[in-house]
């Protein structure tokens, strides 16, 4: 089981307290010898305090993917963001090469045409960059128009500080996912011409509670 926690001692202490309550109710205890904490972008002093609050060990991540070596629990969040982008671009590159390969196979259409719907002459294949923008728009809609759900309420209370998602400015402390949402927000506002128009547009994409 993986539990993701904010990088501060109170959040870790809350999780540890919940695990202790779970153990008290059901008799299932976390095996300290097999439980580790993995850190990204955490100050060493804070990291040591979090370890002391839980009694867990500092886990080590060691793997290599797409030429990016990651070894050490103290790998920065920026490196993970870079890795995610490399993975997305590589998947789309492999996908595109397979369908547009001009060697011994039949030459297919251009990638942008392949991603069109069937009725538009394409293969109805999702372009990952466009699909990711669409998913970011869904999160933007949730943050702008709803208050339901732990993800939404946590972001609105702790990261947005109850500011409107349409006006909040990106900060270094924001997660890569929230930064991505704000980037798509700016693209949408530029496309629609104003925040009001963008809000109306994204609201029109929701029907009966489904985006």
């Amino acid at each position: 089981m993986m539990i993701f926690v904010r990088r501060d001692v109170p959040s870790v202490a809350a999780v540890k307290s919940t695990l202790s309550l779970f153990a008290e109710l059901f008799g299932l205890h976390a095996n300290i010898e097999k439980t580790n904490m993995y850190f990204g972008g955490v100050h060493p002093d804070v990291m040591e305090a979090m370890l002391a609050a839980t009694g867990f060990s500092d886990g080590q991540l060691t793997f290599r993917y797409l030429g990016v070596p990651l070894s050490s629990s103290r790998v920065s969040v920026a490196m993970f963001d870079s890795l995610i982008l490399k993975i997305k671009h590589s998947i789309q590159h492999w996908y595109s090469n397979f369908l547009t390969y001009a060697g011994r196979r039949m030459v297919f259409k251009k990638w942008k045409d392949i991603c069109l719907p069937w009725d538009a002459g394409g293969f109805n294949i999702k372009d990952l960059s466009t699909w990711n923008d669409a998913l970011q728009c869904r999160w933007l809609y949730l943050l702008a128009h709803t208050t339901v759900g732990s993800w939404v309420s946590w972001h609105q209370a702790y990261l947005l500080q109850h500011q409107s998602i349409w006006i909040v400015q990106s900060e270094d402390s924001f997660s890569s996912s929230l930064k991505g949402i704000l980037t798509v927000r700016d693209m949408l506002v530029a496309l629609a011409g104003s925040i009001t128009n963008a809000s109306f547009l994204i609201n029109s994409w929701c029907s009966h509670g489904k985006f």
Side-chain angles (χ1 to χ4, degrees):
M1 179 175 65
M2 301 176 67
I3 301 176
F4 295 87
V5 188
R6 288 188 66 186
R7 44 192 178 183
D8 57 50
V9 175
S11 297
V12 165
V15 171
K16 183 67 185 315
S17 176
T18 302
L19 291 175
S20 297
L21 178 60
F22 180 84
E24 181 180 343
L25 292 174
F26 297 100
L28 299 174
H29 298 265
N31 189 329
I32 300 298
E33 296 180 356
K34 296 182 178 179
T35 304
N36 297 310
M37 295 184 68
Y38 301 89
F39 299 91
V42 181
H43 191 278
D45 292 343
V46 177
M47 184 181 71
E48 296 301 331
M50 293 169 72
L51 290 170
T54 60
F56 298 151
S57 300
D58 178 12
Q60 299 291 321
L61 295 176
T62 303
F63 57 93
R64 177 182 294 269
Y65 191 81
L66 298 178
V68 180
L70 296 177
S71 179
S72 170
S73 61
R74 297 167 179 80
V75 63
S76 67
V77 175
M79 288 188 67
F80 279 111
D81 292 345
S82 175
L83 179 63
I84 291 172
L85 288 175
K86 282 181 177 289
I87 293 173
K88 184 183 75 172
H89 292 321
S90 293
I91 291 175
Q92 187 152 301
H93 178 71
W94 296 331
Y95 218 166
S96 176
N97 282 352
F98 177 76
L99 293 173
T100 60
Y101 180 58
R104 297 181 179 178
R105 304 180 190 177
M106 177 180 176
V107 179
F108 289 99
K109 303 178 181 180
K110 294 181 179 179
W111 177 247
K112 66 177 182 178
D113 296 328
I114 289 175
C115 294
L116 292 173
W118 289 110
D119 56 6
F123 288 174
N124 202 37
I125 292 176
K126 294 180 177 66
D127 175 81
L128 292 185
S129 295
T130 303
W131 189 242
N132 184 65
D133 288 344
L135 292 175
Q136 300 281 30
C137 283
R138 177 180 181 272
W139 292 117
L140 176 62
Y141 170 82
L142 292 175
L143 289 171
H145 297 283
T146 70
T147 57
V148 179
S150 57
W151 184 90
V152 172
S153 59
W154 185 85
H155 274 72
Q156 290 174 341
Y158 292 99
L159 293 182
L160 302 180
Q161 298 292 315
H162 297 292
Q163 299 181 77
S164 170
I165 187 63
W166 294 108
I167 62 173
V168 69
Q169 297 299 310
S170 182
E171 299 181 7
D172 291 338
S173 60
F174 286 175
S175 64
S176 58
S177 60
L178 182 55
K179 290 178 181 177
I181 292 171
L182 296 179
T183 298
V184 169
R185 175 204 63 183
D186 294 341
M187 292 169 54
L188 191 63
V189 171
L191 176 66
S194 69
I195 290 177
T196 301
N197 290 343
S199 179
F200 177 80
L201 180 62
I202 200 172
N203 192 52
S204 69
W205 295 339
C206 184
S207 176
H208 303 292
K210 292 184 179 181
F211 186 78

